[in-house]
Amino acid sequence: IESLDPRPSAVVFLGDVIHNGYYSHDFEWYTSRRNAYTVGGEIFGNCSLPVRFLWGNHDYHTTCGSAADSYDRAGLSHRLFRHFLGPEALPYSAARAGRYSLLFLNAMLGPSWDPTHPRCDTRQASLGAAQLKWLVEQLRGGRPSFVFLHYPLPAAMRNEAPELPHPDVLSVLAAHGGSVMALFSGHYHRGLDWADAYPFPHLTLPATRYDEDNWFLLRLPQSGPPRSWELVDWAKNRGGARCSQTWSYPPGGQAAGPAAPQPEETGSCGRPSLDTVGQVELPPLQEAGEVPGPSGQQFNPEPPCCLAYQRAFLQRCLQEGPTAGCCAILGEHLRPSSAAYGSSCLCWPPFWQQ
């Protein structure tokens, strides 16, 4: 990234900065010994470009129903972020890039991440009332804005703050859809284009833990139509893959493209490979309990909504429509977590329209 010419203005990291780094409730424990936060600070300290952080589910630790087993978000987590990663490592924030606003949201500040709340469920994103109000204010002026959120929108809690006119992140963004240029998310580990599911583009980017090629260059025009922005190299991630092609980026901003020859992938790109997707066949299944779990070799698909798996229950779901019962069928095996995008697809209206 640092070798690009022209030089990027900044780097946005989409979350899960520190992997399961909690060992003590005492802030001084982390400052007195080498630990995951020390390592994270060293890694990002090597980047000479400005870095903006989102926070992911692994950056917090909440155990629903047990405050004693949870780690204080404001009193500990946020102090650790700033101490080890710098003053820009805020819980949520905004920045300007020419005529655009960049809004960096936090998906772990609402009721789904409050261990004492009856709706606590860390598989879901929630912003909290204060951040929802802040987001409305950021979008109120109509400035073209890019939104960054660790969780994709299908995993965002609905009606989390019923006292507000727009009680969740989706309703806020939908009410200001004319200002939202795009929403970028992570969490699902794969590249997904949610197409026409929302009144603005929504792209989920794959994870660098699997492939160092999973970064993308956003070009923001400073004249002309605001929506003429471009994700220059989105095509290097093909069809929801966990790994991306290696691209070359000629100096002077010339057109980027696939490197030749293409190096062999060494990351954990999953099975079946892109070449064999669609050829995977499952035996006839009658009940949810017969479905092999997502950790099995029979089902680890690269693209979203792999029908090799969903075909088993498609007829029953078609009869029910995208109801809670239908979604629960896949929920038995595809819970809303990092890899569980399939259940979201079955609750996605364009899936049924198509």
Side-chain angles (χ1 to χ4, degrees), residues 32 98 231 242 261 281 286 336:
S32 62
L231 203 61
R242 201 156 57 183
E281 292 295 335
Q286 304 301 322

Side-chain angles (χ1 to χ4, degrees), residues 327-349:
C327 295
I329 295 173
L330 280 97
E332 288 297 314
H333 299 276
L334 280 178
R335 303 186 184 282
S337 66
S338 300
Y341 51 84
S343 54
S344 299
C345 289
L346 276 188
C347 301
W348 182 38

Side-chain angles (χ1 to χ4, degrees), residues 13-48:
F13 194 82
L14 288 175
D16 288 348
V17 183
I18 308 295
H19 182 73
N20 294 347
Y22 292 96
Y23 293 90
S24 171
H25 295 272
D26 180 14
F27 176 78
E28 281 68 31
W29 185 95
Y30 301 89
T31 60
S32 62
R33 54 179 54 78
R34 185 171 173 79
N35 61 87
Y37 282 91
T38 315
V39 175
E42 291 171 352
I43 291 172
F44 282 100
N46 289 324
C47 185
S48 65

Side-chain angles (χ1 to χ4, degrees), residues 132-209:
L132 288 170
K133 293 177 182 177
W134 175 87
L135 179 58
V136 169
E137 289 302 314
Q138 295 295 318
L139 294 170
R140 191 185 302 278
R143 180 180 297 278
S145 301
F146 289 90
V147 180
F148 302 85
L149 182 71
H150 179 67
Y151 284 77
L153 285 176
M157 178 178 282
R158 301 303 308 273
N159 200 35
E160 61 159 291
E163 72 277 11
L164 298 180
H166 304 301
D168 51 56
V169 63
L170 178 56
S171 60
V172 171
L173 296 178
H176 300 84
S179 301
V180 179
M181 299 292 100
L183 185 146
F184 297 107
S185 65
H187 188 59
Y188 280 4
H189 295 186
R190 291 166 164 81
L192 303 174
D193 183 347
W194 295 94
D196 58 349
Y198 304 99
F200 43 80
H202 180 3
L203 297 174
T204 297
L205 276 56
T208 54
R209 71 173 282 184

